[in-house]
């Protein structure tokens, strides 16, 4: 379900907002109305609806419900409470409601409740569900905050938010004074933002003795959490139903054949229930989707329809229980086959899942600070991840888990816990944030797993190159402004540079498009030629960044001239574009523009298409991405990175790949080391421009190479006047110069 599709009211209303994905039937109301006796809801002062009592019965059946008294007692007596429970035990929906009752009992004197989630769809869906259960309005008493979308008011009692949004809130509200209870959910996911919050909240709790912290986690992490936070109260919850586990030794080598066989065996058995398949990566999802759709079309219709649902964890989607209206419209039995990958466990919010197939491996991104690039590594999942996938079936009395590996493999090759993202990711954004909160005296952070010193040094070095740090290693004026943008620091720097080069409008569009999900649709088999023909209409000769501007402008023009939203969706479908991604880009761009206006950065009218504007956009991009330059070393599209000796090719959808005109030097947005080393989103740049805009000490630190020698020759030919101008530009970027025109709030 798309979060943006939900109307988010900003004021109290008697109308109740219910998500379509939830069961909205009234059920048997006899006897309920009799005992209702107009009992008032303490959160909004209105009488409870009959639906409230129906959902209350469902809540009382959750495994966690019997722990309510014990939890409330520990909440009153302790500052920190850990709740350990399997997936779907109810901790993510019930604990926040109990905390809201606690805040109500003390008249919100210390603030409301905030509950973090790692994934955006989960935060949205939980807010919808809890508002329904509490019988209040979504967007008023209960709301959610996710990147680039705020569905809350100043009066919101309980808000769900992604962990990175609560982390960003600490920049302006370091001690989180608007909250009386903070709930960190999905701790076992070990995201960077959650780990940072765990560390920073230690100091916040000392400064605010009245603040309560609740930590929701799977059982595997309890020992580590107990040693991290000390001897704190623990609530342990277990699901009701055992799960049958079937180990299929040797099936991993031919996983696609085994998956197909299992899916069709289950379907032919006649046993009802949806199937969830955990694959290694998105490419496997696409391949499996194609095969299952093709084979499924030949099945006996008497067995029911097989609906294949690709669920990409990075995109804004999740799987929910189909509502009664959907089932009424579909009299023929439908079985959903959900294809997902690692991190998809938290997106399965349906009780209709009866079968899970797990391949036991995942493809992870592991950042290498030496070469400033991600490597895609295929490796076994952890034992905790395997257990979480099993727990998806915890509410099903007859659930069955098929493991395409042996028990020996699970105990020998799988590590106990999922690796912390802190130890595998680029930390430049995290270090920028830590430098920002250091201004508020929260610079020290006791991480549960300390990041590698090499990663921290690389992050500090990059921030220094980007002029985000002063001579003492603290945030410069530029660094403070860069931290205002919820973007990668390199992208933030490019936006700041665009203010100098009079191309802010175009740079905001590029920033929105590269931050949103991929605007190109996943193509069905056989549609590649037609899609490429459509996409050629948007290609720009100066590079992929400019192509993205063309796509966004075409989408905007279509939106302005379309008679209805359906016409926009049809246009996107006809051009094989992802309408949801373009809507997201539109929202992101609007927020970035709002930040530009709030901190009073100069903004000029768009001039896209002129030669001067094209040059200015490249200058702005180079100001942030001078560390991501590659050169075609043999004239055939083999690009050697300037910072290391990795060779890559332009992505097949690049405008240069389509036109078969390979530039010698390119600036690129993304590069990962995998079986196909593709440079993604690349634009041609002149080496003279690079030498004028890249910091001299960055160039000096580059390893010896033929490319560096060529650049040195370029610099030698640049006149002393150019060097003087460059030094003057660097002076213009000093804090004294920006202080008068930029107000950071």
């Amino acid at each position: 379900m798309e979060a943006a599709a939900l109307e988010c009211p900003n004021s109290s209303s008697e109308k109740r907002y219910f998500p379509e994905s939830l069961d909205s039937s009234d059920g048997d109301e006899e006897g309920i109305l009799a005992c209702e006796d107009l009992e008032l809801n303490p959160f909004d002062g209105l009488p409870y609806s009959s639906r409230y009592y129906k959902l209350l019965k469902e809540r009382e059946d959750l495994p966690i419900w019997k722990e309510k008294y014990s939890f409330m007692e520990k909440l009153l007596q302790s500052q920190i409470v850990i709740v350990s429970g399997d997936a779907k035990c109810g901790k993510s929906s019930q604990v926040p409601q109990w905390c809201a009752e606690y805040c109500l009992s003390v008249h919100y004197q210390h603030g409301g409740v905030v509950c973090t989630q790692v994934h955006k769809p989960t935060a949205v869906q939980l807010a919808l569900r809890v508002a329904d259960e509490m019988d209040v309005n979504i967007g008023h008493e209960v709301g959610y905050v996710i990147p680039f979308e705020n569905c809350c008011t100043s009066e919101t009692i309980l808000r769900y938010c992604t962990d990175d949004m609560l982390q960003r809130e600490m920049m302006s509200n370091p001690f989180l004074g608007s909250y009386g209870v903070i709930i960190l959910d999905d701790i076992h996911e070990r995201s960077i933002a959650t780990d940072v919050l765990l560390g920073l909240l230690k100091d916040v709790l000392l400064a605010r003795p009245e603040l309560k912290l609740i930590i929701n986690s799977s059982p595997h992490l309890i020992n580590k959490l107990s040693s991290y936070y000390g001897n704190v109260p623990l609530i342990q919850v277990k699901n009701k139903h055992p799960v049958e586990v079937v180990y299929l030794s040797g099936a991993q080598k031919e996983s696609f054949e085994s998956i197909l066989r299992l899916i069709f065996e289950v379907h032919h058995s006649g046993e009802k229930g949806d199937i969830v398949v955990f694959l290694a990566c998105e490419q496997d999802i696409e391949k499996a989707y194609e095969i299952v759709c093709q084979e499924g079309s030949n099945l006996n219709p008497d067995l029911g329809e097989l609906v294949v649902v690709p669920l990409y964890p990075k995109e804004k989607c999740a799987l929910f229980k189909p509502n009664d209206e959907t089932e009424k419209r579909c009299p023929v039995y439908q079985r959903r086959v959900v294809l997902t990958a690692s991190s998809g466990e938290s997106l399965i919010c349906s009780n209709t899942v009866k079968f899970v197939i797990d391949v036991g491996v995942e493809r992870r991104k592991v950042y290498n600070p030496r070469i400033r690039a991600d490597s895609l590594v295929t490796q076994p999942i952890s034992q905790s991840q395997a257990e979480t996938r099993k727990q998806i079936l915890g509410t099903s009395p007859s659930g069955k888990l098929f493991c395409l590996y042996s028990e020996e493999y699970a105990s020998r090759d799988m590590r106990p816990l999922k690796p912390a993202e802190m130890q595998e990711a680029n930390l430049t954004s995290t270090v920028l944030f830590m430098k920002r909160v250091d201004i508020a005296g929260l610079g020290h952070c006791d991480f549960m797993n300390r990041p590698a010193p090499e990663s921290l040094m690389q992050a500090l070095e990059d921030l220094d190159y980007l002029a985000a740090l002063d001579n003492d290693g603290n945030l410069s004026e530029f660094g403070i402004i860069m931290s205002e943008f919820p973007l990668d620091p390199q992208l933030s720097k490019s936006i700041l540079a665009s203010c100098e080069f009079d191309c802010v409008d175009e740079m905001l569009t590029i920033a929105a498009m590269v931050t949103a999900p991929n605007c190109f649709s996943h193509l069905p088999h056989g549609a590649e030629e037609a899609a490429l023909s459509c996409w050629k209409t948007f290609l720009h000769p100066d590079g992929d960044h400019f192509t993205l501007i063309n796509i966004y402008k075409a989408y905007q023009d279509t939106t302005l001239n379309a008679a209805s939203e359906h016409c926009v969706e049809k246009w996107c479908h006809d051009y094989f574009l992802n309408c949801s991604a373009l809507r997201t880009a539109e929202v992101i761009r609007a927020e970035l523009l709002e930040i530009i206006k709030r901190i009073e950065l100069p903004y000029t009218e768009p001039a896209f298409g002129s030669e001067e504007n094209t040059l200015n956009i490249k200058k702005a991009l180079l100001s942030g991405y001078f560390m991501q330059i590659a050169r075609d070393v043999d004239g055939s599209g083999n690009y050697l990175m300037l910072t290391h000796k990795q060779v890559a090719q332009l992505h097949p959808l690049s405008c240069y790949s389509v036109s078969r005109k390979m530039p010698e030097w390119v600036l690129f947005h993304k590069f990962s080391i995998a079986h196909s080393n593709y440079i993604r989103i690349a634009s041609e740049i002149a080496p003279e421009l690079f030498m004028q805009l890249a910091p001299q000490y960055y160039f000096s630190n580059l390893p010896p190479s033929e490319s560096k020698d060529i650049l040195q020759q370029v610099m030698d030919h640049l006149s002393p006047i150019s060097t003087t101008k460059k030094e003057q530009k660097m002076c213009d970027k000093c804090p004294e110069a920006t202080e008068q025109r930029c107000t950071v709030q």
Side-chain angles (χ1 to χ4, degrees):
M1 174 178 175
E2 289 294 334
L6 175 79
E7 181 181 356
C8 181
N10 291 320
S11 59
S12 180
S13 169
E14 291 188 11
K15 181 181 177 183
R16 304 290 185 196
Y17 290 78
F18 300 131
E20 286 184 4
S21 56
L22 300 177
D23 179 9
S24 57
S25 60
D26 290 329
D28 183 10
E29 298 177 11
E30 292 182 15
I32 293 178
L33 293 174
C35 66
E36 185 175 333
D37 196 25
L38 292 179
E39 184 182 356
L40 297 182
N41 187 334
F43 292 106
D44 63 4
L46 299 173
Y48 282 122
S49 67
S50 58
R51 180 170 175 78
Y52 168 81
Y53 296 98
K54 176 182 180 296
L55 293 178
L56 182 60
K57 286 185 176 181
E58 294 180 12
R59 294 168 63 193
E60 289 170 349
D61 287 335
L62 291 170
I64 198 170
W65 187 265
K66 58 187 174 186
E67 304 294 338
K68 180 177 181 180
Y69 176 80
S70 175
F71 173 81
M72 297 301 284
E73 189 177 40
K74 287 178 170 59
L75 181 64
L76 286 169
Q77 297 171 354
S78 309
Q79 194 177 18
I80 304 174
V81 180
I82 296 176
V83 179
S84 165
D86 293 343
K88 302 175 80 169
C89 70
K91 63 183 185 295
S92 299
S93 61
Q94 303 311 301
V95 169
Q97 294 186 61
W98 300 342
C99 292
E101 292 174 17
Y102 162 78
C103 290
L104 175 66
S105 70
V106 296
H107 307 291
Y108 308 110
Q109 58 181 315
H110 306 308
V113 181
V114 63
C115 179
T116 66
Q117 298 293 318
V118 173
H119 302 287
K120 292 184 287 185
T122 317
V124 174
Q125 185 62 19
L126 280 168
L128 294 169
R129 176 72 195 185
V130 167
D132 201 11
E133 290 182 355
M134 291 175 67
D135 213 22
V136 295
N137 292 306
I138 185 68
H140 196 263
E141 290 83 6
V142 175
Y144 62 86
V145 182
I146 60 176
F148 307 106
E149 188 175 352
N150 187 341
C151 189
C152 291
T153 69
S154 58
E155 298 177 16
T156 298
I157 301 159
L158 167 58
R159 68 182 65 198
Y160 282 87
C161 71
T162 49
D163 50 7
D164 58 331
M165 292 307 293
L166 186 62
Q167 177 184 299
R168 286 197 64 79
E169 190 173 338
M170 292 188 77
M171 292 199 312
S172 56
N173 183 12
F175 295 98
L176 300 172
S178 54
Y179 304 114
V181 180
I182 296 173
I183 305 164
L184 299 183
D185 204 357
D186 287 342
I187 293 294
H188 52 275
E189 291 276 353
R190 302 306 307 277
S191 69
I192 290 179
T194 293
D195 274 12
V196 168
L197 288 170
L198 279 169
L200 290 179
L201 285 173
K202 278 189 168 185
D203 292 334
V204 175
L205 289 168
L206 290 173
R208 292 186 57 202
E210 77 283 0
L211 177 65
K212 306 285 186 180
L213 173 63
I214 314 301
I215 301 172
N216 287 348
S217 177
S218 67
H220 310 89
L221 205 59
I222 295 307
N223 290 337
K224 197 170 184 67
L225 280 170
S226 297
S227 60
Y228 183 62
Y229 269 107
N231 187 23
V232 297
L234 172 66
I235 301 287
Q236 290 184 295
V237 188
K238 290 192 176 180
N239 278 340
K240 298 177 180 179
H241 304 293
V243 174
E244 181 184 349
V245 181
V246 180
Y247 291 98
L248 301 171
S249 179
Q252 206 171 43
K253 294 178 182 177
E254 45 184 34
S255 58
F256 276 100
E257 291 79 0
S258 302
I259 289 166
L260 280 174
R261 187 179 69 252
L262 285 169
I263 289 172
F264 297 130
E265 279 180 6
V266 168
H267 195 56
H268 280 100
S269 71
E271 291 182 70
K272 291 198 172 185
D274 293 335
I275 304 169
V276 173
V277 183
F278 285 99
L279 297 158
C281 58
E282 292 190 8
Q283 289 80 2
D284 285 357
I285 293 175
E286 293 171 14
K287 182 180 175 182
Y289 176 76
E290 204 172 291
I291 295 172
V292 177
C293 284
Q294 188 175 353
E295 297 292 330
S297 61
N298 301 322
L299 292 174
N300 184 348
D302 295 338
L303 294 171
E305 186 182 357
L306 205 61
V307 181
V308 188
V309 182
L311 188 63
Y312 300 96
K314 290 180 184 175
E315 295 184 5
K316 200 174 179 180
C317 57
L319 177 76
F320 309 115
K321 177 185 175 183
N323 60 23
D324 287 357
E325 287 301 314
T326 304
E327 291 176 354
K328 286 175 186 175
R329 289 196 300 267
C330 303
V332 178
Y333 171 67
Q334 288 186 333
R335 185 196 304 278
R336 291 185 293 179
V337 177
V338 183
L339 306 173
T340 188
S342 184
S343 297
E345 298 92 348
S346 299
L347 303 178
I348 309 296
C349 308
S350 173
N351 293 329
T352 60
V353 177
K354 295 292 189 293
F355 307 94
V356 170
I357 302 171
D358 181 14
V359 297
V361 294
E362 64 178 344
R363 185 172 294 171
R364 297 179 65 83
K365 267 188 183 179
V366 180
Y367 185 72
N368 186 336
R370 293 183 182 179
I371 60 174
R372 292 185 172 88
D374 289 313
S375 296
L376 294 176
V377 181
T378 302
Q379 60 188 26
I381 61 172
S382 67
Q383 293 172 10
S384 60
Q385 286 172 282
E387 184 63 25
T388 303
R389 295 174 181 187
K390 175 182 172 182
Q391 290 165 11
I392 290 172
L393 300 163
T395 55
S396 302
S398 58
K400 188 177 287 188
L401 169 65
F402 297 98
C403 299
L404 305 189
Y405 50 86
S406 64
E407 281 188 86
E408 183 187 1
Y409 173 88
S411 59
R412 183 192 65 226
D413 296 337
M414 291 182 178
R415 48 187 146 184
L417 297 174
K418 182 179 180 179
E421 189 184 0
M422 178 80 68
Q423 297 176 314
E424 296 185 339
N426 184 348
L427 298 179
T428 310
S429 295
T430 303
V431 172
L432 180 66
F433 167 77
M434 295 303 296
K435 289 285 184 182
R436 175 66 186 265
V437 296
D438 194 34
I439 298 170
L442 289 173
H444 171 71
C445 188
D446 178 20
F447 293 117
M448 190 151 57
N449 287 93
R450 293 202 66 78
E454 191 177 21
S455 296
L456 288 173
M457 288 303 296
Q458 174 264 317
L460 286 166
E461 187 178 54
D462 284 4
L463 290 175
D464 190 35
Y465 287 146
L466 293 168
L469 303 179
D470 61 21
N471 292 334
D472 297 321
N474 300 314
L475 275 195
S476 64
E477 189 78 17
F478 259 111
I480 294 173
I481 301 171
M482 284 165 61
S483 68
E484 288 289 311
F485 292 93
L487 302 170
D488 178 271
Q490 290 174 278
L491 201 49
S492 300
K493 179 64 184 292
S494 291
I495 290 177
L496 288 185
S498 71
C499 298
E500 178 186 350
F501 297 120
D502 297 330
C503 55
V504 179
D505 186 85
E506 294 82 5
M507 198 61 230
L508 289 182
T509 300
I510 291 172
M513 290 293 282
V514 298
T515 305
N518 187 0
C519 65
F520 298 106
S521 296
H522 293 288
L523 297 180
H525 182 66
E528 293 85 355
E529 192 174 332
L532 196 59
S533 176
C534 290
W535 293 340
K536 278 182 179 178
T537 60
F538 305 114
L539 296 185
H540 195 289
D542 284 297
D544 299 332
H545 296 88
F546 300 86
T547 296
L548 292 177
I549 296 177
N550 277 344
I551 292 172
Y552 184 79
K553 285 173 67 67
Y555 167 75
Q556 269 198 321
D557 292 343
T558 304
T559 303
L560 288 171
N561 299 321
S564 66
E565 190 64 32
H566 174 72
C567 296
V568 178
E569 291 174 358
K570 184 180 184 303
W571 177 83
C572 290
H573 180 268
D574 291 345
Y575 280 90
F576 298 92
L577 296 174
N578 185 334
C579 191
S580 171
L582 289 168
R583 284 197 195 107
T584 302
E586 193 173 26
V587 172
I588 292 172
R589 193 186 185 285
E591 180 159 329
L592 295 179
L593 180 58
E594 192 63 37
I595 294 171
I596 289 279
K597 292 177 179 177
R598 174 168 58 83
I599 59 181
E600 299 178 8
L601 291 173
Y603 183 87
T604 53
E605 290 300 312
F608 185 63
S610 70
E611 190 174 328
E612 182 185 7
N613 178 258
T614 298
L615 180 62
N616 285 340
I617 292 171
K618 290 185 177 183
K619 286 179 178 179
L621 286 168
L622 260 172
S623 299
Y625 288 91
F626 54 83
M627 289 178 275
Q628 294 181 195
I629 304 296
R631 182 176 72 92
D632 186 354
V633 291
D634 57 8
S636 61
N638 290 312
Y639 285 87
L640 185 68
M641 307 293 136
L642 192 56
T643 52
H644 52 84
K645 295 184 178 180
Q646 291 289 336
V647 176
Q649 287 75 41
L650 296 175
H651 192 271
L653 292 182
S654 170
C655 64
Y656 302 117
S657 299
V658 174
S659 64
R660 301 184 187 279
K661 295 178 181 178
M662 302 296 175
E664 184 180 3
W665 295 87
V666 293
L667 171 150
F668 60 90
H669 180 71
K670 195 184 297 183
F671 166 67
S672 294
I673 299 171
H675 63 279
S676 54
N677 288 359
Y678 284 138
I679 290 174
R680 297 173 186 270
I681 311 178
S683 292
E684 181 179 9
I685 55 111
E688 293 81 7
L689 203 60
F690 171 82
M691 293 309 301
Q692 288 172 11
L693 291 166
Q696 178 59 42
Y697 58 101
Y698 167 74
F699 176 73
S700 301
N701 290 337
L702 287 174
S705 67
E706 184 185 355
S707 298
K708 185 177 181 181
D709 293 341
I710 294 171
L711 290 171
Q712 183 64 54
Q713 293 171 14
V714 169
M715 187 172 68
D716 293 341
H717 284 88
L718 286 174
S719 66
I721 297 173
S722 300
T723 308
T724 306
K725 285 182 178 179
K726 179 183 173 184
E727 289 172 357
Q728 181 61 44
K729 282 185 179 180
M730 291 301 293
C731 291
D732 290 342
K733 295 178 184 178
C734 290
E736 292 78 12
T738 57
E739 195 169 7
Q740 294 181 6
R741 67 174 185 174
C742 304
T743 306
V744 181
Q745 299 174 354

